[in-house]
Amino acid sequence: FDPSKGRCATCPSPSKLFLRAFIALAIALVAIVISWLFMRRMSTFSVILTSLSLQAKVKILVGFCQVISSFRAVYGVSIDDKLKAWFNFFTYFSLDFLQIIKVPRDCLGSKTATFILNACWPYILCAVLIFGLFFFMVIWEHLKETRTTDMKTRFGMMSLSIAIVIFYFALPTVSRSIFDAKKCRAFATNDANEETKSYLMFAMDMECDVETDENYSSLLDLFWIFFALWPCLTPLLFLLLLKKINHAVQQSRPTLLAITCRFLWEDFDETSPLALHWDFIDTMRKIFLTGFINLLDPEEGSNKILRLSVACVVSTLYLTALLSVRPYKRIDDLYLSTISSFLLVVCFGLGVILHLCKGDDENEGTCHTFIGLHLDSYKA
């Protein structure tokens, strides 16, 4: 089933899926190599790009898209057909690798295999890119007239930089995917006794009961493993790296490790310890809004306003802290981050209104009583 088109579609052949993945990986590897060579040869251009602070702006925009793209799946907000194209755009730019190469998750085999691939694709992408980088650097060294002795150091620095970038952008998307194992929906099986059974939303053949369904029990074990690896350990590794380089960066004497990890700190004010750790704070905010919030009423949370209300409060607190700390070096980055945070607060507030108006008649119901306007034109 293709949710973007609202109808069933034929799964592409395995050869086409492999070709799409190969092309995407090749483009990513070529982009890394070209940017590395270009920065080495064109120092002036590198200075210009740094002065524009494109890295900070991309991180802010991608983070915004990652949260917005979770509105339907996590918060159950109904979107009108006229607006679905915009939300598909946000989903595409949330940097979900499987979404970028247009691989339908229903075509990846069993639901357990799909779940594992959703959680492991960043590791596969990272390994392939690092292997390709190593292959290129070996060839580059052989083609050079003079050999250098610091190839291992440069390879280690670039490998760590690639891993940091991939895990940073993949973290909110993967965290949202692994919480699919906790999204259940209850169905009434006996109206007289008010008995219900819960089934997994992304695999309706699995009952959400570890005692009666062995497949769900195995899936839940995988969930806790990936839960520890992604929402818990990955941000902790970012924090440990920032703690390790904190003193060197604040003293304006960055070490080799600090230079390698500059993706995490170079956009922020080094004089403030809190600002220097702002990427960790922002990462935890995105993980909470796309992942941890699924733990609030796993069975009916997407049909109620509790998640939206909590998300609105968290986004408001983050916006307040952002304006108080002012962590960015450049004022335009601060403005962009403020606008994106404010838009999220507005979107969560509008989501509450859409939930209140869901299923109401034009002249009666909760929507008419508390909102005063009927929003039927915005319903999907």
Side-chain angles (χ1 to χ4, degrees), residues 82-316:
K82 297 177 181 178
L83 300 178
K84 283 184 178 179
W86 285 99
F87 275 78
N88 293 334
F89 171 84
F90 291 135
T91 302
Y92 187 82
F93 279 93
S94 64
L95 297 188
D96 184 346
F97 182 73
L98 298 179
Q99 182 75 24
I100 291 175
I101 63 177
K102 296 185 180 300
V103 175
R105 286 175 166 80
D106 292 337
C107 301
L108 297 176
S110 66
K111 295 300 182 182
T112 302
T114 302
F115 182 78
I116 294 174
L117 186 58
N118 284 339
C120 292
W121 68 260
Y123 295 108
I124 299 172
L125 177 62
C126 190
V128 171
L129 292 180
I130 291 176
F131 176 79
L133 176 65
F134 175 77
F135 183 73
F136 167 78
M137 292 186 71
V138 170
I139 295 177
W140 180 261
E141 286 294 319
H142 281 286
L143 293 177
K144 289 173 63 177
E145 296 180 357
T146 57
R147 303 291 176 84
T148 57
T149 58
D150 62 341
M151 177 183 169
K152 290 183 179 179
T153 302
R154 289 189 291 112
F155 174 71
M157 290 177 61
M158 293 192 67
S159 299
L160 180 58
S161 297
I162 290 173
I164 289 174
V165 172
I166 290 176
F167 290 155
Y168 177 86
F169 285 121
L171 184 54
T173 302
V174 174
S175 297
R176 184 184 65 191
S177 298
I178 66 174
F179 274 95
D180 286 342
K182 300 293 289 184
K183 295 177 186 175
C184 300
R185 177 161 293 180
F187 295 91
T189 57
N190 190 326
D191 293 336
N193 299 327
E194 297 184 353
E195 296 179 359
T196 61
K197 282 188 177 182
S198 298
Y199 294 89
L200 205 60
M201 291 190 63
F202 93 107
M204 282 295 186
D205 56 336
M206 287 190 190
E207 186 178 352
C208 295
D209 190 337
V210 294
E211 296 180 357
T212 60
D213 196 320
E214 294 182 357
N215 292 329
Y216 180 70
S217 178
S218 301
L219 189 67
L220 210 56
D221 292 337
L222 290 173
F223 164 78
W224 289 115
I225 294 173
F226 291 131
F227 177 83
L229 286 175
W230 281 105
C232 296
L233 288 181
T234 304
L236 183 61
L237 289 175
F238 289 164
L239 180 61
L240 291 176
L241 285 173
L242 290 171
K243 287 290 184 183
K244 182 74 174 178
I245 64 176
N246 181 45
H247 181 72
V249 173
Q250 287 192 313
Q251 296 295 323
S252 298
R253 296 177 181 176
T255 60
L256 196 62
L257 179 62
I259 296 172
T260 305
C261 303
R262 62 183 180 272
F263 180 82
L264 296 174
W265 60 265
E266 67 177 346
D267 302 314
F268 304 100
D269 182 11
E270 297 99 335
T271 60
S272 170
L274 186 58
L276 196 62
H277 294 78
W278 195 258
D279 243 347
F280 170 76
I281 297 172
D282 186 49
T283 298
M284 294 306 299
R285 172 189 68 101
K286 290 182 291 187
I287 294 175
F288 179 83
L289 294 177
T290 59
F292 285 122
I293 203 163
N294 286 284
L295 296 175
L296 292 177
D297 194 359
E299 294 188 3
E300 296 293 337
S302 60
N303 295 325
K304 299 178 181 178
I305 65 172
L306 176 61
R307 290 181 185 176
L308 285 165
S309 301
V310 173
C312 190
V313 172
V314 170
S315 298
T316 304

Side-chain angles (χ1 to χ4, degrees), residues 339-356:
I339 291 171
S340 66
S341 300
F342 176 74
L343 287 176
L344 283 179
V345 174
V346 172
C347 289
F348 285 125
L350 291 176
V352 172
I353 295 176
L354 291 175
H355 262 290
L356 291 175

